[in-house]
Amino acid sequence: MRVVKYIFFTLIGLIITAILLVGVFLLSSKLWGTIVLILGLIGLFTAFIFALVNFIKSQSKLYNWNGLIKLSLKSLYLIITGTLLVVLWIFNFAIIDEYGEFTPLDKMNVVLGKTDINEKAIQQLIKDYPELKSQNITFKYPPNSEDQVHEMISKMGDIEQLELEIFGYQIPKTKNIEVIILPNYEEYIQARTSAGEREGGSYTRMDNRAIIYEQPKDVNGEEPSLSGILSHEYGHYLMDMFLVDKGIKFDDVPTWYHEGVSEYIGNQVGEELKSAGNISPDLTVVNLQSSQDWKNATKQSESDVYYFAGKAIEYVLGSVDDSIILSDIVLNIKEFGTFDESFKQLTGIDPKTLNIESINSWEKDLDVAYKLWHEDDFKKAEENYKKILKKHPREPLAWHQYALLLVKQKRWEEALIARRKIISIEPENPYSYMDLSYLLTVIDSQEAVNSAEKALEIVKKDNIEDWGFSQKWLDDVSHYHELKNEKKYTEAYQFISQSEQLSNFPEIIGALSQIKN
């Protein structure tokens, strides 16, 4: 009867120990997993020595069968526990070495082979797909989509520039990324079984794979560019590689930040202006810490969380005017204790108050400044614009209005600085170059021509239908420049003053009438 009791308690002890060890390794990094292994093996060896010494001391007869059974069961427990320790350590080390730091749930999914990616379906869908390799990316795509793939590859320079601006260096790409392009949403949901209705793509850390599909629709029914979607998913990949390189756990960074940085990258590269879907005014970034929070906000409040997270990142950059702050916040998590505290200390923004109303508050301030300007209270208007631009130095609309105010006052050099600032924020916006060209007719006609040429180049590259407007201005400003070079100043002024494009800038036309050289 005693033997049965000993065996029963040994089995119970093994089960409890196994559960505890699995829990410990799910929460452990490489370092802490190794520490647990070493301490565990030392503890088990020490326990075995004590058990052996106690057995020897308790021998009153040549054979103490009761003590021998106890020692045998204790030894069995220690051997199984030690083996389990080593096996779990190997699994934990191998998973982290292969995929980087994972959440406990991700580790369990790897061990159990459970993900929302249907690998069998993917391989069937892409079995006849060609491959194209570019640096650290392998594209797999339908044969008729090669032009789109080359277009995406052409955008990689822009992504690399953003990588430098955000992270401060070229992140080591210790793992290559595979990009699969599918022809439609129907095939996409075969590959990714849990896909949402408006999900345009996905990135999985376990296999460093992005899956996107052609002609996606966002929450407003608009069709974002494939380059923008790929850039978003590549943003996840960059953040993943950054965290691996710096030894930071993935779940130390909240979901809204992962998505927000990726959305910011996608918006910058995709270039299309996105309109917001519904966003609950009560939603703050602290309500979007985990992936489950993210899903709940989408379902319960039907909030456009991607737009919200992207705007939150823009708000941070506008408040601090330093894109590398995005990586600094992550790097300083250990110093400040939590992500939220690091975010608050480095940006001066309390994440508990960061909602859509606070993000868009500058728009009301801009309305006030604009009203003051049109009431001819230039002094107060300028004070308001400067306050807005100090807090939001990356808002092109605020710079545009401020530049117009300076033009109204014929403060040409200051207006030129403002126009160049807009170009630095929106380097691919043709209309920013057009506005700059108008202003430059007063200051430098050759540079005005160069700026007009750049505007037309972007318009044609982006296939904007109304490119004739830009062409007409280039023709006008080029002829104006030629007449000036020929010292035909009166004729030059008479010609350019008739230009349709300058009709909305009487101050510029007035200044041109004074030009004598």
Side-chain angles (χ1 to χ4, degrees):
M1 191 67 183
R2 286 183 177 180
V3 174
V4 174
K5 185 174 72 173
Y6 294 156
I7 294 174
F8 174 76
F9 281 112
T10 300
L11 289 173
I12 293 298
L14 283 171
I15 292 171
I16 293 173
T17 302
I19 292 172
L20 289 173
L21 287 178
V22 168
V24 167
F25 276 101
L26 284 176
L27 297 169
S28 296
S29 61
K30 275 185 181 180
L31 175 62
W32 281 107
T34 303
I35 292 173
V36 168
L37 173 69
I38 294 171
L39 293 178
L41 291 177
I42 292 172
L44 291 173
F45 181 75
T46 304
F48 174 75
I49 296 299
F50 273 106
L52 184 61
V53 169
N54 288 334
F55 170 73
I56 294 171
K57 286 182 177 180
S58 67
Q59 297 303 301
S60 57
K61 298 179 181 178
L62 184 60
Y63 294 106
N64 184 340
W65 293 105
N66 197 40
L68 187 61
I69 291 170
K70 281 186 176 181
L71 178 63
S72 299
L73 290 173
K74 285 181 180 178
S75 299
L76 181 64
Y77 168 83
L78 295 173
I79 290 170
I80 293 175
T81 301
T83 302
L84 185 61
L85 255 176
V86 173
V87 170
L88 286 173
W89 176 81
I90 291 172
F91 264 111
N92 188 59
F93 195 93
I95 289 171
I96 295 175
D97 189 58
E98 179 68 19
Y99 302 116
E101 293 288 352
F102 264 17
T103 64
L105 180 60
D106 286 335
K107 287 184 183 178
M108 282 296 295
N109 286 336
V110 171
V111 174
L112 298 175
K114 290 174 59 180
T115 68
D116 59 356
I117 299 298
N118 188 333
E119 191 64 36
K120 184 179 290 187
I122 290 174
Q123 296 309 318
Q124 182 64 29
L125 290 168
I126 68 173
K127 64 179 181 178
D128 298 322
Y129 278 15
E131 290 187 11
L132 196 159
K133 294 185 178 181
S134 176
Q135 298 181 21
N136 60 311
I137 309 175
T138 299
F139 291 92
K140 297 181 180 180
Y141 54 92
N144 60 352
S145 300
E146 187 167 345
D147 289 345
Q148 291 175 296
V149 173
H150 284 291
E151 181 183 345
M152 286 185 271
I153 291 173
S154 72
K155 296 286 187 178
M156 291 309 299
D158 296 334
I159 297 176
E160 289 171 0
Q161 182 59 40
L162 285 166
E163 178 184 350
L164 286 173
E165 292 175 6
I166 293 171
F167 299 101
Y169 71 115
Q170 289 287 347
I171 303 167
K173 312 302 189 299
T174 52
K175 302 286 183 181
N176 290 339
I177 179 173
E178 179 184 57
V179 175
I180 294 175
I181 303 169
L182 298 173
N184 51 55
Y185 179 72
E186 287 70 26
E187 290 195 11
Y188 179 74
I189 59 174
Q190 291 179 47
R192 180 169 160 79
T193 55
S194 66
E197 185 180 354
R198 296 301 186 189
E199 183 175 295
S202 62
Y203 169 75
T204 49
R205 299 173 56 231
M206 287 186 291
D207 49 17
N208 302 111
R209 174 194 282 161
I211 305 176
I212 61 179
Y213 62 95
E214 299 178 66
Q215 296 183 322
K217 294 287 195 315
D218 63 17
V219 294
N220 297 309
E222 299 171 351
E223 185 177 318
S225 67
L226 268 185
S227 295
I229 292 174
L230 174 63
S231 302
H232 176 105
E233 305 308 337
Y234 195 84
H236 283 299
Y237 167 75
L238 288 176
M239 181 64 82
D240 191 14
M241 293 295 99
F242 174 70
L243 296 177
V244 169
D245 186 48
K246 299 301 181 182
I248 299 170
K249 290 184 178 180
F250 181 84
D251 53 356
D252 282 347
V253 181
T255 296
W256 78 264
Y257 204 73
H258 282 287
E259 295 293 351
V261 171
S262 296
E263 188 73 357
Y264 172 75
I265 292 173
N267 289 344
Q268 295 297 303
V269 175
E271 296 176 5
E272 61 265 9
L273 294 175
K274 294 185 178 179
S275 52
N278 174 63
I279 299 174
S280 170
D282 299 325
L283 184 67
T284 65
V285 294
V286 295
N287 303 132
L288 299 171
Q289 296 289 319
S290 67
S291 57
Q292 191 58 50
D293 293 337
W294 187 266
K295 292 176 183 176
N296 291 342
T298 305
K299 292 178 181 178
Q300 294 173 8
S301 66
E302 297 183 341
S303 290
D304 185 354
V305 286
Y306 286 98
Y307 179 88
F308 174 54
K311 291 300 289 184
I313 294 300
E314 289 182 8
Y315 180 81
V316 169
L317 293 175
S319 299
V320 181
D321 195 25
D322 180 9
S323 56
I324 204 171
I325 192 72
L326 298 179
S327 57
D328 286 343
I329 292 168
V330 176
L331 291 173
N332 284 278
I333 290 175
K334 291 181 180 178
E335 179 181 344
F336 293 111
T338 65
F339 174 89
D340 284 354
E341 190 59 30
S342 178
F343 183 88
K344 185 176 181 180
Q345 291 293 329
L346 294 182
T347 66
I349 303 168
D350 187 345
K352 294 178 182 177
T353 65
L354 190 52
N355 59 16
I356 195 63
E357 289 186 357
S358 63
I359 290 171
N360 291 334
S361 62
W362 67 273
E363 294 178 354
K364 296 179 181 177
D365 297 335
L366 200 61
D367 288 340
V368 172
Y370 188 79
K371 184 178 180 182
L372 287 168
W373 163 25
H374 284 273
E375 291 174 351
D376 291 334
D377 194 341
F378 295 158
K379 183 177 180 180
K380 285 188 178 180
E382 183 172 352
E383 289 173 357
N384 278 265
Y385 279 122
K386 285 183 175 179
K387 287 179 182 178
I388 295 167
L389 291 170
K390 184 176 181 181
K391 291 173 61 179
H392 307 279
R394 290 180 59 83
E395 286 298 339
L397 180 57
W399 280 107
H400 174 68
Q401 289 189 12
Y402 182 53
L404 290 176
L405 175 66
L406 294 170
V407 167
K408 189 77 174 176
Q409 300 174 77
K410 301 181 181 180
R411 292 158 60 181
W412 310 118
E413 293 298 334
E414 293 171 83
L416 183 61
I417 292 172
R419 286 291 172 206
R420 294 197 190 283
K421 178 66 177 179
I422 298 171
I423 295 292
S424 71
I425 297 170
E426 298 182 312
E428 294 300 315
N429 186 337
Y431 305 108
S432 298
Y433 286 97
M434 289 285 283
D435 288 330
L436 176 62
S437 182
Y438 301 150
L439 178 59
L440 284 167
T441 55
V442 178
I443 301 167
D444 186 333
S445 59
Q446 177 60 68
E447 196 174 350
V449 172
N450 296 341
S451 187
E453 288 175 342
K454 181 64 177 178
L456 183 61
E457 175 189 328
I458 296 172
V459 165
K460 288 185 174 180
K461 182 184 71 174
D462 293 344
N463 293 318
I464 297 175
E465 292 182 6
D466 190 21
W467 61 269
F469 186 83
S470 301
Q471 181 67 64
K472 180 65 168 62
W473 171 247
L474 176 58
D475 293 341
D476 287 352
V477 74
S478 297
H479 186 56
Y480 167 73
H481 174 64
E482 291 171 1
L483 291 171
K484 279 192 64 182
N485 279 347
E486 296 170 3
K487 302 187 184 304
K488 299 177 181 178
Y489 302 119
T490 301
E491 188 177 342
Y493 163 69
Q494 289 176 343
F495 172 78
I496 199 67
S497 65
Q498 301 302 313
S499 172
E500 176 188 357
Q501 280 86 342
L502 278 186
S503 61
N504 292 322
F505 300 96
E507 294 80 16
I508 291 178
I509 293 174
L512 292 175
S513 68
Q514 306 300 316
I515 294 177
K516 301 299 181 184
N517 53 56

